[in-house]
Amino acid sequence: MVVVLALCAGSAFGLKAYFDRQNGSSAQALDERDGPVRPAEIEALLAEHTRALKERDLKAFLAPFDPADKKLVAQQTTLFQNLSKVPLAEASFVRLRKGEFKPFGAGHSFELTVSFNHRFEYDRAAVGEMYTWTVVRTGKGAPLKITEAGHVPQGFKQTEMSYYPAPWDRWQDIHVEKTPHTVLIVDASLRAEAQRYAPAAERAAAEVLDAVRAGGVTGEFPQGFVISLVKGKKELGALYQTRKEAPTSESGMALGFPPASAVDDDEGPDVGGSRVLVDVTDRSFFGAGAQESPAVLFRHELAHALMNNFADHGPGATSLDGREHWVVEGFAEYLGYGQQPFTASERAASGKAVLRSLNYDLPLPSNGLWNMAGRGSYHYWLAHSTMSFIAERYGEQKLFQLVIEHYRGKKIQDVTQEVLGVSYDDFAKQWAAYVKAEVR
């Protein structure tokens, strides 16, 4: 098993710069005879689209789309039907950004960057899914018509995360399975799997939340999770993101999204909500001969999703790339295995073999060497061992405190001193001695 945390909250700052460039041109002077499109008309179009979704008015929802384009109408009908199944606490369509708009005359099409701002009950703030509409006014006085919808904004530079397509965009028909602490959104072809694994996801969610509360965490964190089950690596890399190549080793992902408001201001949390993806075709966890219980993978990814909410990407904070993988993945492994010692991990046998082959040389696994060929599982196991050590030596509340402070942007060298009362070098020596004593 190799799992990845793909946290995107830092991209909010890139979004601001992108939309500044898009909206930086001066307003074009157009005579009224040109039938110019005014910002107020666009706002009215989006407000009506929002109303139509909220009131389940399919006719009004489809009204702005070119009726001659049967494929486009079918696409938007599917979107409407899928969104009608999703238990959203709020939803709206807005124009990004609210700055200056360049008017266009009748007969000229233009691209409009739209954000579908939506919030599940578990989200701290609404998150935005961005895409474009191609809009045209065919003649003076004619209503605005959308001739194309749904692709990622042209020139958008995020190679990994675009937040589009969401499950309701990608799949022709979705199924939603809800439990007290989870919402599972799947392709309708995975209805049976959603019903089968919903109890495991619910137990995992409850266990992760209980562990965090018992760990003394008092900050704001979600009381539930939004999860999608997918079939295969290609599908795992095709939701909420644009990838040139499908992931090869991930069994699941926990994706953190900035709040929709981050495009226009820096107020509010750095992470509005997280989305968890789990590949149910991964034979390490699912199906006959699986080495691990699905609960391990669910708890691991939900631990990532929960910790996303403590991430800080403000001035002076450590970037995601600067966070130590042994902290991020070690914590997820620790909760994934139900807070059991690292020696109880499925990775223990192979991990011990690697360690012995290295003559017990035990530096903390650095980020630069994390993905070394043949060492992936070993490094996850070592990361797990750091959490076992902290819990046993300093107590679980110190463990949670250390992880959260590092997520909040403090360098790990400062965190070990502030939270554990030891220098980073002394911590590394204590940990190495602990692992050797446990493994020999």
Side-chain angles (χ1 to χ4, degrees):
M1 170 185 72
V2 178
V3 285
V4 65
L5 168 67
L7 177 65
C8 346
S11 64
F13 304 102
L15 297 182
K16 290 172 67 65
Y18 170 75
F19 287 110
D20 281 338
R21 292 194 302 272
Q22 294 297 95
N23 294 311
S25 56
S26 299
Q28 177 181 336
L30 289 175
D31 190 280
E32 286 301 320
R33 289 173 295 181
D34 295 317
V37 176
R38 302 296 187 189
E41 296 176 272
I42 295 175
E43 300 302 334
L45 172 65
L46 292 164
E48 173 61 9
H49 208 55
T50 297
R51 183 206 65 80
L53 177 63
K54 181 179 180 179
E55 298 181 9
R56 301 296 187 260
D57 186 343
L58 175 60
K59 183 178 179 180
F61 190 85
L62 296 176
F65 297 95
D66 183 2
D69 190 334
K70 303 302 182 185
K71 183 178 180 180
L72 177 62
V73 171
Q75 174 203 60
Q76 293 301 309
T77 300
T78 295
L79 175 61
F80 177 88
Q81 292 171 340
N82 280 341
L83 284 174
S84 297
K85 300 176 183 178
V86 180
L88 294 173
E90 62 180 85
S92 63
F93 297 89
V94 302
R95 175 170 63 93
L96 294 177
R97 294 182 54 187
K98 298 294 186 180
E100 195 171 15
F101 173 75
K102 180 179 178 181
F104 288 81
H108 296 278
S109 64
F110 62 96
E111 285 200 339
L112 180 68
T113 305
V114 177
S115 179
F116 175 51
N117 293 351
H118 57 283
R119 182 178 64 83
F120 287 83
E121 63 177 302
Y122 307 130
D123 293 334
R124 296 176 66 193
V127 302
E129 177 196 4
M130 293 169 292
Y131 49 84
T132 58
W133 283 346
T134 301
V135 184
V136 65
R137 164 172 280 153
T138 56
K140 185 177 180 180
L144 299 179
K145 284 295 177 185
I146 303 167
T147 59
E148 188 177 354
H151 57 87
V152 175
Q154 186 176 8
F156 192 62
K157 299 301 183 183
Q158 278 185 291
T159 57
E160 292 267 327
M161 302 303 305
S162 60
Y163 323 118
Y164 173 90
W168 42 81
D169 301 290
R170 183 163 178 81
W171 297 324
Q172 279 295 109
D173 186 21
I174 65 172
H175 172 73
V176 176
E177 198 74 26
K178 196 173 186 311
T179 72
H181 298 97
T182 71
V183 174
L184 271 66
I185 307 172
V186 304
D187 186 296
S189 65
L190 284 176
R191 177 193 302 266
E193 285 82 353
Q195 293 172 339
R196 181 184 313 150
Y197 295 118
E202 169 61 25
R203 285 192 297 273
E207 288 164 0
V208 166
L209 290 168
D210 286 347
V212 173
R213 295 187 194 104
V217 178
T218 57
E220 185 179 353
F221 55 88
Q223 298 304 304
F225 305 91
V226 181
I227 304 169
S228 284
L229 309 180
V230 301
K231 293 186 288 187
K233 304 304 181 215
K234 181 178 179 180
E235 199 73 0
L236 189 66
L239 283 178
Y240 306 112
Q241 54 198 306
T242 54
R243 285 191 175 199
K244 292 182 180 179
E245 298 179 359
T248 57
S249 56
E250 292 96 329
S251 304
M253 294 181 180
L255 311 175
F257 298 159
S261 61
V263 174
D264 286 310
D265 59 61
D266 295 331
E267 299 298 323
D270 280 329
V271 175
S274 292
R275 305 292 178 257
V276 172
L277 309 178
V278 170
D279 177 11
V280 293
T281 68
D282 192 311
R283 299 191 66 82
S284 297
F285 298 93
F286 302 94
Q291 297 173 309
E292 296 277 17
S293 162
V296 172
L297 180 57
F298 279 121
R299 285 193 297 258
H300 183 114
E301 295 303 336
L302 297 184
H304 277 319
L306 190 144
M307 295 309 296
N308 285 352
N309 292 272
F310 296 98
D312 181 6
H313 292 265
T318 299
S319 69
L320 177 64
D321 290 340
R323 292 200 179 94
E324 297 294 335
H325 293 346
W326 68 260
V327 177
V328 172
E329 296 297 348
F331 179 78
E333 285 285 280
Y334 182 71
L335 288 196
Y337 281 98
Q339 298 156 276
Q340 295 299 307
F342 75 110
T343 50
S345 166
E346 180 68 26
R347 305 180 193 275
S350 62
K352 290 177 183 179
V354 173
L355 180 58
R356 287 164 181 153
S357 73
L358 298 174
N359 197 28
Y360 294 92
D361 181 28
L362 264 174
L364 283 162
S366 68
N367 287 9
L369 298 177
W370 185 266
N371 292 320
M372 182 186 295
R375 299 280 178 85
S377 181
Y378 171 65
H379 287 156
Y380 274 81
W381 181 67
L382 283 188
H384 184 172
S385 75
T386 66
M387 299 296 128
S388 293
F389 166 64
I390 295 170
E392 292 181 27
R393 173 70 66 89
Y394 298 98
E396 281 202 333
Q397 294 206 353
K398 290 292 186 180
L399 182 157
F400 280 92
Q401 188 180 351
L402 178 141
V403 174
I404 288 173
E405 290 303 314
H406 191 42
Y407 261 86
R408 284 175 172 160
K410 290 186 178 181
K411 294 180 179 179
I412 193 61
Q413 291 82 358
D414 297 330
V415 175
T416 57
Q417 187 67 59
E418 293 176 11
V419 175
L420 305 181
V422 296
S423 70
Y424 187 72
D425 288 343
D426 285 344
F427 168 80
K429 291 175 184 177
Q430 292 175 3
W431 162 77
Y434 163 82
V435 173
K436 292 174 183 178
E438 291 293 317
V439 170
R440 285 189 189 274

